[in-house]
Every structure is written in structure tokens, then in C-alpha cells.
């Protein structure tokens, strides 16, 4: 049956457009119940014996939630297409709101289901129960003769599942009941006012980013292109106004005379577990900022939230001190998320557990948002639990691959076919080898180098042909696109593709035939490219080497086999390529990385050290870069509108402020006009008798950089890769672990007529949407990897007691210094202020930046000696605690209330605890 509606619409040009909307109504939509034999459903999802122990509904029943119950309370359901079935379709009546029409449609569907099931069971006991928290909807349903309950009323009736009450999302009326009457935050403006304010320029729209180190501060990144101001600083709870990290908000900009500089205070919300925590003292920490206009930032306040980014958060319960209390505070694992008040009757069982909690709302008279318990993840500190937490917190897809995905894997045993040999270059005779970290099983790339008869060199980079196994649009492809990247944790790998591909059929292991995509250059001995070509190929790797094994071959003059000769040729050319890149302005940056040695039985880290890079690391990197650049140019030449490329934006000048100040403190000048100027400055930045200084400066320069991102060539004009000093770049060399590389393989295959195209590949808008997801997944994977390193660092120090180590001050804050320990690639803070005990006199100079503590002045890159230990006093946020051993800072103060003096020698710890003191009576 076809229903249609016709109306006219005035266009911008003044014309009239006739619009016809057609709606096809069907009779063949099945009810999905096992009791029904009339509906021809081959796989009914609703059980015949739908029983649950309830003192309201003692009979078998199905639940139909209304829209609001579905959105706020339900996580699993079966779909029934009310609007497409002829028997349940309704049209909106004159004067009826869209919400009222939806409520009526649900009541009609519930009535139809009730009557339909009654016929099939001869008026039997299987009933339909409607759940709604809308009073008017409930009254009308009762008038229609339906069985209807409020959601909370029904959940309370489930005798055998009392814990489900904890999982109910709070309704607005409930939230007002559990908060005080004192107004703590300004009212959010209505959406209509926000939209008109954004349109007329009164407000700015952007995404709120909370400060991880200071809960009273955050930034709003403005989304609109062409906007003069791209970020707005927010300081203080009133101006943050209940924004939660990643919310889309509207902000009102303050006049310029109210603009301030970002705070240098490190400040965590460790206030007591109560509502009346005084914020005046902590907010005073944000005051006293410099008046120099060069460091002032546009400052404002949140006037409304346009889109919440709430999700279930992982963390731990802080149990109320009040006996028998049901209201408690939940502390999220992510310090950027505020604490959440929840109601639970199982607090005693949840203490010491990692749990998930969802936010329901944040009333203007509540210091914290309200929420509800979702799930218990396991004991805090347990490796499996903590790994689950970091994967959930960083939104890393880690569920097992579904049968739908696995069904698209090749059948085993698999082998190369005669057809493959016909359409591919047979390179099995080449002396190809791989060079990877120890234990690598997902080998993406192999290389070879040999001399040609004309005296030139042939160099090849051969990459796993993953796109041969993953075809566009199927479930395997969709899953890989969603995951975006493989995530490497300490001792664990979350694959982007199933293991049959990642560690077997696509992995270019030695002495097995594999399908590859080859990039082959003819070069002269000065590493200048004479010609390049790309081909689908078949290879047989002659060796799977680690970086150390490859380096040993190169260095051992007694070894002269074909593999070793190939490696030496590659290494010599790589050095030329690298020096040429650096001469063009490519940056050589630094980032402290660590390697753990894991116990084979307990899987605990037994040793921890900074990663040592060898020449072979650089050798492989150079040829991967060259392949990526060569492929980028090829696909852009062929597909200028839809090439998937990667760019690295140049940082804004303000990003370099801290780097310039750090160098200036050592009487050095850093130029940042271009990547070349920066590279030359870093190369020349040395301090006598301080060999590690240049590394520290490069670590700092790394922190100034922007994030490299994927983009579609047809949607951008700036292709430049700042860090590599390359006009064009992409990712081609790691398709086992990066989905971007699979797309690039498909583009290259079409460009050389080795494969056919498909619509989405040539759609620049869909490519852009894909790039957005890949950028997000890549960023989250990086954060998850860092979190895994942090957790394993804590495990390493757990049983080590106190360790003495030398370190360097990396950053100076208003109340703390951040120290880097090169041996462990570890950073930690030493705080100088105290909430509950005497503090030394502090004087912070943002120009240095320097921090004067009593009579000693700390500056960036100063050498210090510290003790390192694990502070497990807060199981939610265990941290590496550093205690300052050298230099020793002494101070004394007069306690007038006791007419006595305390003279203290401070061994400053992560919270500046006074570990040695002398009490003197007058």
C-alpha cells in the first residue's frame, strides 16, 4: 500500500518547489515471537517463555519501552518497524506535537501486539507491558486498556534482580531531589538563544577540552573555519559552567581587559568527599597571572551546552563516610572528567573495584553531575581489569571478531594460485628480508638492494598485499575501517584484522611465498632516483631479522652473504637519503621511549630501560619514508580529488614559546620561522659539558608539534608535511596495522590497472569521513599505548622499594617541577605546596620560566637527583612519586599559636611531605 503527501516549498531564488513524499506500507513485517505461527519469521528473537521474577507481572510478558525509556535506560532490544506496518501506521493529527504523535504510535503498536499475541495464544498468559515515565502517556495507555508501568516501578518489582535499581538513569525530578537548593552555576541558555547568538556573533561554538593537570581550567577549540579566534581559555568552575570534556558548547568571549594567561598551577580535585568543599582557596591559585599581552589568551565562559559527549566512564567508588548512605561519589579514571554522584545499595561490594558509571544530568545547584552505576569491571590493580579499563577509556574496539567478519577470511589451507602468477611479478628470486623489533609477527614490509648490470642499484620495498584479502564493503572491510589501526599495548596487541591475516597469510615471514605490493626504484650510488615503478608481486623473504641481528650482519666484516650485502647497500643509501632530508629541513626530534622485559610466567615487567635505536632502525625508516612519498605522488597524479594523503601542519608561533625560553635560559637562540630554521637551530644547540642538553631540547620541540592527520586531497589545499619537509606524503607501508594504507593500496592498484575501482573510493566526502575516523582511532591508540606504559611502569616499581636516579627538570610550574628520568624515559612531578602542612615560600617567574623555592631557584633542564617509588595510597590513581634529594631546600617558620618554631629540612616528595623535622621550644 502506498501513501503519499504533497506540499510546496519556496526556494531561495523565489521559485516554488513541489515535493512529494511517498510511504510504502507493508503487510509482511513479522512480530518476531516464537509463539506466533502465522508470521513467517525464520528466526524469531522473542522467546515463548518470557519469564522474569516480578511481583507486578507474575505472567510471561514482553516489554515495550517508550522513546525516552529506550534512550535513557535500555541497552538491548529487538526492533519492530511500527511506521512501515499497515496495521500500526498513524499520521500526525492537526495540532499534535511530534512527541505526542510518537507516544500515540507506541501505544498503537502496544495495542496491536497485545491483540496479535492474544489471538495466537487463544487469550493465553503472554502479555505486553508498556514502560513509560511520561505521566500523560501512562494515563492514555491505561485508558486504552494497556498494561503500563513507570520504568522505576517495574524495575523495583524484579525480586530476583535488586541490583538493577542501581542502573536506572536518574530523571530530572529525581536529580533535583538529591541536590541542594544553593545555586552553584549560572543557568544554561535555551538552544534557540544560543543558535541566534552564534549566528549574530555574540557567542562562539566549539569543543570543550578539560585540562588534565588543572580541574579548574579548560579550553574551547572553535570549530568554524575562518574564525579569528580559534581557542578560548576558561578558568574557574563558574566559567566552566558544567561543561564536560569533549562537549560541544557555546561560549561568550570576555572583553580584552579580562583576558588572562593559562595557569601554571598543577591542581587536582582531591577535595573531601562532600558537597561543601570550599573552592575559594583553590580558585585563588588561578589568580596573579602575568599582564604581558603576548601571553594573554582570549578568555570567556560557557553559556550553554549544544551537544553532550557523555559516555559510560571507568573509575572507582569513593564510599560515603555516612553509615548506611546510598549516595556516593564516583571518581573517574580520566582526570579530565568531574566526579559523579551516584545512588547505589551495593557500595560495600564495589569498594576497591573498577566500575563503569554513566552521567544522567548536571543540575545548576549541584557541585557534581548525577549518574548511575552501569557495570563492575573487576578488582583495581588486576592486570586484566586495568587493561580493560584503558581500552574502554580510550574507545579502542577490542571485542572478538564476529562470525560475519570471519566468514570473509580465505579458506585454509591457502596457497598462491596459477592466476596469481599470471597477473603478478614473480620476485621470489630476489634476496628480500625483513627487519623488525624482537617478537614481531605482523611483518608488513621487506626490502632488497642489488646491483644492476648497468652499474646502478635496484632497491625494492615490498609491502604485504592486505587489500587482496580484504575486499571493499564486506563485513571484514567494514570492521577494519571501524577499528582503523592495530593497538600495541605492553605484552598485548589488539589487531585491526583477524590473526589469520595479521600473523599468517599477510605477514611476510621468511621462507614462505607471500603476495606483496612492491615499490621498486633504480638508483645511482648517490641515492638519486632514476626511475620508479609499482607492481603487485609474489615474494619469498630470505630472512626475518631483528634490528640488532641486521646491525650485527652489517658490522661483521666476516659476513659477505647476499643478505648482508643487501643490508649494507641499503644502509649506505639510507644515510645519504637521511642527510639529504635533513638538509631540506626535515626535523630530527626525540621522545623518551621505554622497553619492558616481561617475566614469561607472571607476565610482570622485571626490567625497564630506554629504547636504544640502531642504524638499522634509521635504515628501515628511510626506505619506508621514500616509499610513502613515491606512492603519495603517484596516487595524487592519478586521482587529484580523492587521494588519501597525510599532512603535518606547521605549529602556530605561540607553540614554540616554551622552547625559545628554554634555549634562551642557556644563552641560545632558536629560530622557528621554518622547519629548516628550526632544524638548523636544534643541530647547533649544544652546551659545554652537558651532552644530554640537545636531547632535552628535541624532546621539548616534539611537544610543540601539531598532530599529523589523514585528509582527502580534494578537500584541502595544504599538503605539506612539516616534520618531514616533504611537499606530499601518505601511508603505504603498514596495511596490516593501518586501514589508511589499505585505501592507499586500492588507489595505487587502480592507478596501475591492477584492480578495479568502486564508488566510495572516488567519493571525496566519504573519504573525508573515513579520514576523520582514522585520525580519531590513531589518536586514541596513542593514548592507550601511553596508558599501558604508565601502568606497567607502576608494576615495575611496585616491588622495587625506593630507587635513586638522576634526572632533569623538563618543565617549571607555579607550584611544581616536572622531572624527566632518562634511564627509564619516565616523567614525574615534585610539588612544593601543601594543603594541610607548612609550605616553603614560592616565587614563580613565567618569563624564565623559573621557580624560586626559599633561596633556591629551579629552571628548565637543571640536573637533580631524586628517589623514585610507587605511591599506592590512592588505588584509583596510583602514581610514581619522586622525592627531591639534591638540591636540598631548607626553610623555617614560626607557629605563633604554639609560641614555638619548627625548623625543617625538606626532602621534597611528590606532595612535598616533610620527612625530617626538628621541633624547638622557646
Amino acid at each position: 500500500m502506498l501513501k503519499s503527501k504533497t506540499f510546496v516549498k519556496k526556494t531561495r531564488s523565489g521559485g516554488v518547489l513541489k515535493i512529494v513524499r511517498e510511504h510504502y506500507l507493508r503487510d509482511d513485517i513479522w512480530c518476531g515471537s516464537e509463539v506466533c505461527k502465522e508470521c513467517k519469521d525464520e528466526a524469531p528473537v522473542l522467546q515463548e517463555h518470557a519469564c522474569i521474577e516480578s511481583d507486578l507481572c507474575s505472567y510471561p510478558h514482553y516489554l515495550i519501552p517508550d522513546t525516552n525509556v529506550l534512550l535513557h535506560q535500555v541497552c538491548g532490544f529487538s526492533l519492530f518497524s511500527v511506521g512501515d506496518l499497515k496495521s500500526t501506521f498513524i499520521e500526525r493529527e492537526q495540532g499534535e506535537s511530534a512527541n505526542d504523535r510518537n507516544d500515540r504510535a507506541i501505544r498503537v503498536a502496544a495495542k496491536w501486539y497485545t491483540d496479535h499475541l492474544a489471538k495466537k495464544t487463544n487469550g493465553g498468559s503472554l502479555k505486553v507491558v508498556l514502560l513509560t515515565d511520561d505521566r500523560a502517556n501512562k494515563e492514555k495507555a491505561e485508558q486504552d486498556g494497556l498494561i503500563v508501568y513507570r520504568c522505576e516501578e517495574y524495575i523495583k518489582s524484579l525480586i530476583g534482580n535488586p541490583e538493577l535499581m542501581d542502573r536506572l538513569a536518574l530523571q530530572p525530578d529525581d536529580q533535583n531531589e538529591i541536590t541542594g537548593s544553593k545555586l552553584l552555576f549560572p543557568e544554561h541558555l535555551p538552544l534557540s538563544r544560543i543558535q541566534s547568538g552564534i549566528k549574530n556573533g555574540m557567542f562562539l561554538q566549539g569543543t570543550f577540552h578539560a585540562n588534565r593537570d588543572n580541574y579548574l581550567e579548560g579550553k574551547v577549540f572553535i570549530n568554524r573555519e575562518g574564525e579569528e579566534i580559534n581557542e578560548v581559555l576558561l578558568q574557574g568552575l563558574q566559567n566552566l559552567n558544567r561543561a564536560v570534556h569533549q562537549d560541544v558548547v557555546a561560549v561568550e568571549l570576555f572583553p580584552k581587559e579580562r583576558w588572562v594567561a593559562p595557569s601554571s598551577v598543577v591542581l587536582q580535585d582531591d577535595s573531601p568527599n562532600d558537597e561543601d568543599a570550599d573552592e575559594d582557596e583553590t580558585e585563588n591559585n588561578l589568580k596573579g597571572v602575568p599582564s604581558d599581552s603576548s601571553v594573554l589568551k582570549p578568555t570567556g565562559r560557557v553559556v550553554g551546552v549544544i551537544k553532550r559527549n557523555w559516555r559510560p566512564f571507568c573509575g572507582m567508588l569513593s564510599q560515603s563516610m555516612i553509615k548506611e548512605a546510598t549516595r556516593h561519589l564516583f571518581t573517574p579514571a580520566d582526570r579530565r572528567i568531574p566526579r559523579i554522584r551516584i545512588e547505589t545499595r551495593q557500595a560495600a561490594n564495589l569498594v576497591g573495584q573498577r566500575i563503569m558509571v554513566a552521567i544522567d544530568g548536571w543540575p545548576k545547584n549541584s557541585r557534581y553531575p548525577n549518574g548511575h552505576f552501569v557495570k563492575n569491571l573487576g578488582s583495581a590493580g588486576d592486570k586484566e581489569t586495568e587493561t580493560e579499563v584503558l581500552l574502554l577509556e580510550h574507545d579502542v574496539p577490542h571485542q572478538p571478531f564476529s562470525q560475519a567478519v570471519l566468514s570473509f577470511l580465505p579458506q585454509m589451507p591457502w596457497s598462491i594460485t596459477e592466476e596469481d602468477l599470471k597477473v603478478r611479478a614473480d620476485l621470489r628470486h630476489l634476496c628480500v628480508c625483513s627487519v623488525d623489533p624482537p617478537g614481531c609477527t605482523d611483518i608488513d614490509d621487506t626490502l632488497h638492494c642489488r646491483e644492476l648490470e648497468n652499474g646502478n642499484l635496484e632497491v625494492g620495498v615490498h609491502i604485504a598485499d592486505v587489500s587482496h584479502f580484504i575486499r571493499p564493503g564486506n563485513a571484514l572491510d567494514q570492521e577494519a575501517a571501524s577499528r582503523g589501526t592495530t593497538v600495541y599495548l605492553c605484552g598485548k596487541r589488539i589487531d585491526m584484522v583477524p590473526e589469520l591475516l595479521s600473523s599468517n597469510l599477510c605477514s611476510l615471514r621468511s621462507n614462505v611465498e607471500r603476495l606483496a605490493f612492491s615499490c621498486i626504484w633504480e638508483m645511482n650510488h648517490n641515492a638519486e632516483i632514476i626511475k620508479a615503478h609499482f607492481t603487485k608481486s609474489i615474494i619469498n623473504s630470505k630472512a626475518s631479522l631483528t634490528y640488532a641481528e641486521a646491525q650485527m650482519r652489517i658490522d661483521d666484516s666476516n659476513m659477505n652473504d647476499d643478505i648482508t650485502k643487501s643490508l649494507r647497500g641499503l644502509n649506505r643509501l639510507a644515510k645519504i637519503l637521511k642527510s639529504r632530508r635533513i638538509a631540506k629541513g626535515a626535523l630530527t626530534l626525540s621522545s623518551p621511549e621505554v622497553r619492558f622485559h616481561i617475566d614469561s610466567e607472571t607476565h610482570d615487567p622485571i626490567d625497564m630501560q630506554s629504547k636504544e635505536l640502531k642504524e638499522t632502525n634509521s635504515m628501515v625508516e628511510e626506505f619506508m619514508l621514500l616509499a610513502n612519498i613515491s606512492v603519495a605522488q603517484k596516487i595524487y597524479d592519478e586521482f587529484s580529488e580523492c587521494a588519501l594523503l597525510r599532512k603535518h601542519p606547521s605549529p602556530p608561533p605561540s607553540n614554540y614559546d616554551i622552547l625559545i625560553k628554554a634555549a634562551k635560559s642557556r644563552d641560545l637562540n632558536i629560530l622557528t620561522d621554518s622547519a629548516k630554521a628550526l632544524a638548523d637551530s636544534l643541530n647547533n644547540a649544544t652546551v659545554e659539558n652537558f651532552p644530554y642538553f640537545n636531547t632535552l631540547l628535541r624532546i621539548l620541540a616534539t611537544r610543540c608539534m601539531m598532530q599529523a592527520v589523514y585528509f582527502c586531497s580534494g578537500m584541502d589545499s595544504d599538503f605539506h608535511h612539516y616534520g618531514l619537509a616533504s611537499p606530499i606524503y601518505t601511508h603505504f607501508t603498514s596495511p596490516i596495522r593501518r586501514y589508511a594504507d589499505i585505501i592507499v593500496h586500492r588507489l595505487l592498484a587502480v592507478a596501475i590497472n591492477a584492480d578495479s575501482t568502486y564508488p566510495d573510493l572516488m567519493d571525496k566526502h566519504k573519504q573525508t569521513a573515513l579520514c576523520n575516523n582514522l585520525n580519531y582511532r590513531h589518536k586514541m591508540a596513542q593514548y592507550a599505548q601511553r596508558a599501558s606504559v604508565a601502568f606497567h611502569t607502576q608494576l615495575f616499581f611496585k616491588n622495587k622499594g625506593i630507587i635513586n636516579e638522576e634526572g632533569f627538570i623538563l618543565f617549571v610550574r607555579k607550584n611544581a617541577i616536572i622531572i624527566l628520568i632518562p634511564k627509564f624515559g619516565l616523567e614525574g612531578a615534585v610539588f612544593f605546596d601543601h594543603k594541610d602542612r607548612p609550605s616553603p615560600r614560592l616565587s614563580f617567574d613565567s618569563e624564565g620560566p623559573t621557580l624560586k623555592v626559599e633561596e633556591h631557584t629551579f629552571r628548565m633542564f637543571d640536573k637533580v637527583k631524586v628517589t623514585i617509588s610507587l605511591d599506592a595510597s590512592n588505588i584509583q590513581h596510583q602514581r610514581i612519586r619522586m622525592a627531591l634529594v639534591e638540591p636540598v631546600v631548607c626553610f623555617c617558620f614560626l607557629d605563633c599559636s604554639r609560641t614555638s618554631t619548627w625548623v625543617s629540612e625538606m626532602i621534597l616528595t611528590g606532595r612535598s611531605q616533610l620527612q625530617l623535622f626538628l621541633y624547638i621550644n622557646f
Side-chain angles (χ1 to χ4, degrees):
M1 176 180 173
L2 176 65
K3 291 189 72 71
S4 64
K5 181 182 289 187
T6 304
F7 58 95
V8 293
K9 182 179 178 181
K10 189 175 180 181
T11 65
R12 288 184 179 180
S13 60
V16 175
L17 182 67
K18 181 180 179 181
I19 298 175
V20 179
R21 287 185 179 166
E22 296 181 338
H23 195 145
Y24 292 87
L25 301 179
R26 299 163 53 185
D27 293 312
D28 59 347
I29 296 176
W30 318 130
C31 69
S33 175
E34 288 180 344
V35 304
C36 180
K37 306 305 177 188
E38 182 179 311
C39 292
K40 300 171 184 177
D41 196 337
E42 295 179 359
V45 293
L46 299 175
Q47 298 174 0
E48 180 178 356
H49 304 290
C51 297
I52 188 167
E53 197 174 359
S54 165
D55 56 17
L56 275 180
C57 307
S58 57
Y59 37 80
H61 57 281
Y62 297 150
L63 295 175
I64 295 183
D66 75 357
T67 308
N68 285 321
V69 170
L70 183 69
L71 288 174
H72 294 110
Q73 310 285 10
V74 179
C75 59
F77 49 85
S78 173
L79 286 174
F80 177 73
S81 188
V82 173
D84 293 330
L85 182 65
K86 188 163 64 174
S87 304
T88 56
F89 173 79
I90 64 167
E91 294 196 74
R92 189 169 165 183
E93 295 176 348
Q94 185 85 23
E96 187 177 38
S97 70
N99 187 60
D100 287 344
R101 182 262 169 206
N102 289 341
D103 286 345
R104 184 163 60 88
I106 291 169
R107 294 195 300 273
V108 168
K111 178 67 173 171
W112 177 87
Y113 235 109
T114 299
D115 296 342
H116 181 77
L117 293 178
K119 291 175 187 175
K120 309 311 170 192
T121 57
N122 295 319
S125 61
L126 186 58
K127 307 290 185 184
V128 172
V129 176
L130 176 64
L131 296 183
T132 180
D133 290 322
D134 185 298
R135 186 177 301 169
N137 193 26
K138 185 172 184 290
E139 288 174 358
K140 290 175 182 176
E142 289 170 338
Q143 291 168 10
D144 292 341
L146 297 172
I147 304 172
V148 57
Y149 297 108
R150 288 185 302 108
C151 189
E152 181 181 1
E153 184 181 14
Y154 176 80
I155 297 298
K156 275 184 178 178
S157 79
L158 302 180
I159 305 165
N161 302 86
E163 75 283 355
L164 290 179
M165 281 299 296
D166 288 351
R167 305 191 184 193
L168 275 179
L170 291 173
Q171 298 301 305
D173 291 344
D174 300 327
Q175 293 188 45
N176 291 329
E177 287 178 12
I178 65 173
T179 55
S181 56
K182 181 182 176 183
L183 192 67
L184 300 177
F185 296 99
E187 185 88 60
H188 284 158
L189 298 180
L191 190 58
S192 57
R193 237 185 107 185
I194 289 173
Q195 289 171 335
S196 64
I198 292 171
K199 191 174 181 179
N200 63 30
M202 183 182 296
F203 305 138
L204 297 173
Q205 177 177 324
T207 304
F208 172 67
H209 286 238
N211 187 330
R212 193 186 299 271
D213 296 321
N214 188 335
Y215 76 101
L216 294 177
E217 186 172 272
K219 290 180 180 179
V220 174
F221 292 92
I222 306 306
N223 301 335
R224 192 159 62 184
E225 288 186 16
E227 197 70 53
E228 185 179 341
I229 293 172
N230 53 25
E231 67 179 57
V232 177
L233 179 68
L234 309 177
Q235 286 190 343
L237 290 176
Q238 292 275 313
N239 295 329
L240 296 174
N241 196 10
R242 296 171 283 160
V244 176
H245 183 64
Q246 293 283 14
D247 281 352
V248 178
V249 299
V251 292
E252 178 184 40
L253 206 60
F254 290 153
K256 284 191 176 181
E257 56 268 22
R258 292 183 62 186
W259 290 9
V260 298
S263 172
S264 298
V265 175
V266 180
L267 196 62
Q268 307 294 350
D269 184 6
D270 293 326
S271 56
N273 185 7
D274 59 52
E275 186 68 26
D276 300 321
D278 184 12
E279 299 299 330
D280 292 342
E281 184 178 347
T282 51
E283 296 217 20
N284 283 336
N285 279 289
L286 298 175
K287 297 178 181 178
V289 292
S291 57
D292 180 5
S293 61
S294 65
V295 296
L296 299 182
K297 300 293 182 184
T299 310
R301 68 184 184 100
V302 171
V303 296
V305 177
I306 298 167
K307 183 183 178 183
R308 288 291 192 187
N309 192 49
W310 294 346
R311 58 173 174 82
F313 299 103
C314 302
M316 294 184 71
L317 194 71
S318 302
Q319 191 173 12
S320 172
M321 303 298 290
I322 302 172
K323 194 175 181 181
E324 305 297 327
T326 59
R327 294 172 187 166
H328 311 272
L329 281 182
F330 164 82
T331 304
D334 187 344
R335 287 192 177 276
R336 295 170 298 185
I337 306 301
R339 291 195 278 182
I340 303 166
R341 184 188 293 101
I342 68 168
E343 286 207 39
T344 177
R345 293 152 189 79
Q346 49 181 330
N349 297 327
L350 297 179
V351 171
Q353 301 288 298
R354 289 284 194 180
I355 64 174
M356 293 182 75
V357 162
I359 297 178
D360 298 324
W362 196 342
K364 59 182 180 291
N365 53 347
S366 173
R367 169 68 175 80
Y368 300 109
N370 297 322
H372 66 275
F373 169 75
V374 174
K375 185 180 181 182
N376 187 349
L377 298 171
S379 298
D382 174 75
K383 271 183 289 189
E384 290 299 318
T385 300
E386 296 300 334
T387 299
E388 178 74 5
V389 166
L390 73 87
L391 291 172
L392 289 168
E393 280 296 290
H394 296 99
D395 195 18
V396 175
H398 58 286
Q399 66 280 3
F401 290 101
S402 68
Q403 283 304 312
V405 169
L406 298 176
S407 69
F408 286 96
L409 292 174
Q411 294 296 311
M412 296 300 287
W414 174 89
S415 63
I416 291 171
T417 65
E418 287 297 322
E419 183 60 30
D420 293 326
L421 289 166
K422 288 178 185 177
V423 297
R424 292 173 177 267
D426 189 348
L427 306 181
R428 289 175 290 181
H429 61 286
L430 292 178
C431 190
V432 167
C433 69
S434 61
V435 184
D436 290 286
C440 179
T441 61
D442 53 344
I443 302 173
D444 287 287
D445 54 90
T446 58
L447 306 97
H448 88 271
C449 176
R450 65 172 180 168
E451 191 161 337
L452 299 173
E453 290 180 358
N454 63 7
N456 288 331
L457 299 171
E458 180 186 85
V459 176
V461 168
H462 312 275
I463 306 300
D465 190 3
V466 182
S467 62
H468 172 84
F469 297 96
I470 301 180
R471 303 309 296 165
N474 66 27
L476 177 56
D477 182 49
Q478 291 171 6
E479 182 67 19
S482 174
R483 295 189 177 213
T485 182
T486 292
V487 182
Y488 295 90
L489 308 179
C490 299
K492 187 182 182 71
R493 189 179 80 202
I494 312 297
D495 280 330
M496 182 184 78
V497 298
E499 189 177 17
L500 179 64
L501 297 183
S502 66
S503 295
N504 188 349
L505 301 184
C506 292
S507 184
L508 304 182
R509 301 183 299 185
S510 57
N511 302 314
V512 290
E513 295 179 353
R514 288 289 180 257
L515 302 180
F517 210 150
S518 298
C519 177
I520 300 173
W521 305 274
E522 183 179 335
M523 293 182 176
N524 62 25
H525 286 264
N526 196 33
E528 293 167 337
I529 298 173
I530 297 165
K531 63 180 180 180
H533 77 278
F534 310 94
T535 181
K536 294 264 188 167
S537 61
I538 302 171
I539 65 167
N540 189 322
S541 175
K542 303 302 184 283
S544 298
L545 305 173
T546 65
Y547 291 115
E549 289 168 344
Q551 191 68 53
M552 183 188 69
R553 281 175 172 268
I554 292 170
D555 296 340
D556 189 346
S557 58
N558 294 320
M559 297 190 74
N560 288 292
D561 57 276
D562 289 343
I563 294 172
T564 303
K565 288 178 183 177
S566 178
L567 289 169
R568 287 186 183 132
L570 290 165
N571 196 42
R572 188 184 66 80
L573 292 171
K575 290 178 180 179
I576 299 171
L577 290 169
K578 184 173 183 178
S579 64
R580 193 175 294 153
R581 279 196 313 106
I582 291 172
K584 289 180 179 178
L587 296 174
T588 304
L589 301 177
S590 183
S591 182
E593 292 186 70
V594 296
R595 180 178 297 282
F596 293 98
H597 295 276
I598 306 293
D599 186 285
S600 59
E601 293 183 4
T602 65
H603 302 291
D604 286 338
I606 54 177
D607 194 13
M608 174 185 176
Q609 59 193 57
S610 291
K611 285 184 180 178
E612 181 185 350
L613 299 181
K614 302 181 181 297
E615 278 187 1
T616 45
N617 291 82
S618 179
M619 176 191 77
V620 173
E621 180 186 16
E622 286 306 316
F623 286 105
M624 297 306 109
L625 293 176
L626 186 62
N628 287 335
I629 292 169
S630 297
V631 170
Q633 192 62 58
K634 177 67 176 177
I635 62 173
Y636 177 66
D637 289 344
E638 295 289 335
F639 309 109
S640 61
E641 287 294 301
C642 58
L644 192 155
L645 303 176
R646 187 166 175 82
K647 69 174 181 176
H648 182 211
S650 57
S654 59
N655 278 30
Y656 289 122
D657 289 349
I658 191 67
L659 178 67
I660 292 170
K661 287 180 180 180
K664 191 176 180 181
S665 71
R666 305 288 170 159
D667 298 321
L668 294 170
N669 191 25
I670 295 291
L671 301 177
T672 60
D673 300 337
S674 66
K676 172 100 172 101
L678 176 60
D680 291 343
S681 297
L682 290 174
N683 291 338
N684 296 326
T686 57
V687 173
E688 191 175 350
N689 299 321
F690 193 173
Y692 198 67
F693 172 79
N694 190 263
T695 302
L696 287 169
L697 210 58
R698 291 181 190 275
I699 290 171
L700 203 58
T702 305
R703 310 287 173 93
C704 301
M705 294 297 117
M706 304 291 284
Q707 182 77 41
V709 292
Y710 298 110
F711 69 103
C712 178
S713 60
M715 303 292 281
D716 208 328
S717 57
D718 179 16
F719 294 4
H720 190 72
H721 196 293
Y722 180 81
L724 297 175
S726 177
I728 194 165
Y729 191 68
T730 194
H731 273 162
F732 164 76
T733 55
S734 296
I736 294 177
R737 61 184 179 90
R738 292 189 305 232
Y739 188 76
D741 302 54
I742 293 178
I743 296 296
V744 170
H745 276 227
R746 290 173 180 169
L747 288 164
L748 183 60
V750 176
I752 65 171
N753 297 314
D755 205 345
S756 56
T757 186
Y758 56 98
D760 285 5
L761 192 64
M762 300 295 146
D763 187 324
K764 62 183 181 181
H765 297 287
K766 289 188 176 178
Q767 286 278 49
T768 297
L770 174 63
C771 287
N772 291 338
N773 180 62
L774 297 181
N775 291 329
Y776 171 73
R777 292 295 185 201
H778 180 72
K779 181 174 66 175
M780 290 295 105
Q782 285 184 317
Y783 291 161
Q785 286 158 205
R786 291 174 196 167
S788 181
V789 169
F791 174 64
H792 280 75
T793 301
Q794 292 170 8
L795 289 179
F796 173 74
F797 283 102
K798 188 174 183 179
N799 299 314
K800 296 293 180 183
I802 297 176
I803 298 174
N804 286 314
E805 282 298 336
E806 289 185 341
F808 298 93
I809 297 176
L810 200 55
F811 296 103
V812 176
R813 301 291 189 232
K814 191 176 180 181
N815 62 334
I817 53 177
I818 313 299
I819 297 170
L820 171 69
I821 310 298
K823 180 178 177 180
F824 300 125
L826 179 66
E827 287 181 37
V830 172
F831 292 82
F832 295 101
D833 59 348
H834 313 278
K835 290 183 178 178
D836 53 357
R837 61 176 65 91
S839 300
R841 286 173 297 142
L842 304 179
S843 177
F844 177 69
D845 178 8
S846 63
E847 285 303 302
T850 61
L851 178 62
K852 188 174 183 182
V853 183
E854 292 294 325
E855 298 305 317
H856 186 88
T857 299
F858 293 96
R859 58 179 183 162
M860 292 176 68
F861 301 165
D862 280 354
K863 193 173 185 178
V864 295
K865 184 177 283 187
V866 297
T867 60
I868 308 170
S869 60
L870 178 67
D871 176 11
S873 59
N874 181 345
I875 193 169
Q876 160 79 331
H877 289 124
Q878 295 187 42
R879 70 183 86 187
I880 299 300
R881 185 178 291 279
M882 293 187 184
L884 194 63
V885 177
E886 293 178 8
V888 173
V889 179
C890 300
F891 79 101
C892 64
F893 76 102
L894 180 66
D895 184 348
C896 297
S897 63
R898 298 189 182 186
T899 62
S900 61
T901 298
W902 298 61
V903 181
S904 305
E905 180 177 302
M906 293 178 56
I907 301 176
L908 293 165
T909 71
R911 278 291 175 191
S912 302
Q913 293 177 354
L914 304 182
Q915 295 186 341
L916 177 65
F917 56 86
L918 176 65
Y919 182 79
I920 303 176
N921 282 312
F922 279 157

